[in-house]
Amino acid sequence: MCGIYGMVALGGAPLGAPDALGRMGRTLRHRGPDDRGAAATDRAAFGVERLRITDPSARAAQPFVDAGSGVWLAANGAIYNGAVLRRRYRSYPYRSRSDTEPILPLYLERGAGGLAELDGMFAVAIWDGHAGRLVLARDRAGEKPLFYARIDDELWFASEVQALLGHPSLRRSIDASALRQYLTLGYVLEPRTPFAAIRRVEAGTVAVISADGTDVTRYWQPESVGIEYRPLAEAERALDRVLEDAVAKQLQADVPIGVFTSGGVDSALLTALAVRSGAAPDVHTFTVGFGEPSYDERAPAARVAGHFGTRHTAVTADEAALGEAFETITARVAEPISDPAVLPTYLLARAARQHVGVVLGGEGADELFGGYPTYVGHQLAPRFAALPRALREAAARLAAALPTSHDKVPLEFLLKRFLAAAELPVMERHLKWFGTGLDPAVWGAEGPLAAVLPNGNDGGASTTSTETGDALRRVMLFDYRSYLRDNLLVKIDRATMLVSLEARAPYLDRDVTRFALGLETRYKVRGLGTKWLFKRVARRQLPAAIVHRRKRGLSVPVGHWINGGLRGEVDRLLSQERLRAEGLLQAERVGQLLSEHRDGSANHARALWPLIVWEAWRERWLGD
């Protein structure tokens, strides 16, 4: 795991600000505090801040440089088929046991297209000086980040946005489309960032950049995976096998390994598989808890740890600790991360780093195997829409009469959300349920929520097909290509790397992902049950009480916090005077949301939190 960065002069002239490479490295030092390496000519400069996970020796320091061709390699992440590639190119003069060094002979033989063979989580930069081209690539799901800015005849790249902000000619202007996406979804869809001048290398792509332009090849297209019809028994055996193999692959490391646990089925199954593999003799588990009972997961997580005999650590996230995390992330991450779970994730990672160098997490299980309550909602919506109007209106009145709750995912909240969008087209419905809940009028917009999506980015989910299984498959694919990629994976990467901890996601393994995308919908959501096949397999490893425990997720009691310990800061960031002066948000509408939340007539925490984060981000990174 590393922070990678660099600059190349595409037009042949010398670099304009080569001294900035050192500043870029200092900005990314948290991603790799163990050592630093660089390679430079008058036309190109690469830097790497290294976190030692595999082969901690000095021989594995990056960038790697091939003596014969002069090709440079800088890579962030983990290549799980690195040993396979090393055996294929056994005659190559390796200098290390690194899992990333075999990328060099792969590129030398196969060119940029060979990077599609990589199995792992990665962001790769290759400078081929003789060909005058820079190659940038990312893994399939988008676990590892890579940003770039092209200004004049230079291209700068880095693992995080803030390393690019030191470019002497870069303007910190806001991308208006990115802002609309953020306010609708709670995150920005790649390739955009909040900054108009900075873009992301897209997940599952290889970009070849030269003076002649940019050629992007998409080597991973999840929508192209066809349904593979399997008998139930065969599907169970196959899923059990690919999950076991994925965890075994991701336990490869020269440092201790742990698991982030919540007491839920996803993390519990990872714990079971890690312990069963025997590859990690002392498995550590970590969980975070809150003072409010409906949010606290320490007790079920402790039961999982006790059942498997792991070394367990529980972290308490009170308002003071959450406030500290909020200040840290706002100050050190140049992206507005509106998922409040980033705060306890950071606290959890900080505690875990005292014991391990790598943690496994459950990212991807819900999107791939059908774990969200919204998926059940999509199954029920057509049936509700078919009811007589009188019954639908009566249900809406009854739901409106329910008292507002600030508990974690209360039934009242789910019911009101369902009824508010059940009769909308599939994608509009999904965004209502899964987005921020902000009315577009808050930023002066009109029209459907789905208008913020670029063409083709919804996986076809915006169609009005009434075939439930088909619609469900499309929204799950949309979540894989957006919510998971652009929100959850951003959250886990930034939170863990702030404390130099490597996070891995076995459910996003290449083979697991392909298997899950090829599953029939009926093996994912059945009746009111979620992750149907996944839970059948989990029952082989886990007590039934864990498998069938109601989904909770890592959430933060933001609703109470807005009215409590964060009240003064919220009032400052969302003040009417401030918002009017900025001119981006409708101050009166924001004020109404805050007023209703404060007097208890509505719980607007889900809508208010992205606005709070946005204003804090603007203040720190735009200086206004």
Side-chain angles (χ1 to χ4, degrees), residues 261 271 275 282-286 301 304-313:
T261 61
T271 303
V275 170
D282 291 316
V283 176
H284 297 252
T285 49
F286 306 92
V304 171
H307 183 81
F308 293 105
T310 65
R311 294 187 176 188
H312 190 60
T313 300

Side-chain angles (χ1 to χ4, degrees), residues 232 235-236 239-240 242-243 247 264-270 273 361-371 506-508 512 515-516 519-520 522-525 530-542 546-548:
L232 176 58
E236 284 190 50
L239 177 55
D240 192 34
V242 295
L243 289 176
V247 172
V265 64
D266 302 343
S267 57
L269 183 56
L270 290 181
L273 292 172
E363 285 73 25
D366 288 321
E367 294 79 10
L368 290 171
F369 292 100
Y507 296 126
L508 294 177
V512 174
F515 174 87
L519 275 178
E520 299 172 66
R522 66 189 180 98
Y523 282 159
K524 299 182 179 183
V525 180
T530 56
K531 281 195 287 206
W532 188 78
L533 179 67
F534 183 92
K535 290 177 180 177
R536 285 181 67 94
V537 171
R539 282 202 296 267
R540 302 180 180 191
Q541 309 280 343
L542 305 170
I546 296 174
V547 174
H548 298 293

Side-chain angles (χ1 to χ4, degrees), residues 162-226:
Q162 54 267 29
L164 300 176
L165 297 178
H167 193 296
S169 300
L170 188 141
R171 295 181 57 201
R172 299 193 186 189
S173 55
I174 292 174
D175 182 320
S177 294
L179 173 59
R180 290 192 293 271
Q181 291 174 358
Y182 173 84
L183 293 173
T184 303
L185 304 169
Y187 50 88
V188 177
L189 297 168
E190 65 175 33
R192 298 184 184 277
T193 76
F195 295 101
I198 298 176
R199 288 291 181 263
R200 283 181 281 177
V201 176
E202 295 185 56
T205 69
V206 177
V208 179
I209 306 166
S210 67
D212 296 328
T214 300
D215 181 23
V216 177
T217 300
R218 183 171 296 280
Y219 68 86
W220 170 235
Q221 296 177 326
E223 64 275 11
S224 68
V225 178

Side-chain angles (χ1 to χ4, degrees), residues 115 122-125 135-139 146 201-202 205-207 219:
L115 301 181
F122 56 86
V124 171
V135 180
L136 302 177
R138 286 180 70 206
D139 63 74
L146 191 56
V201 176
E202 295 185 56
T205 69
V206 177
Y219 68 86

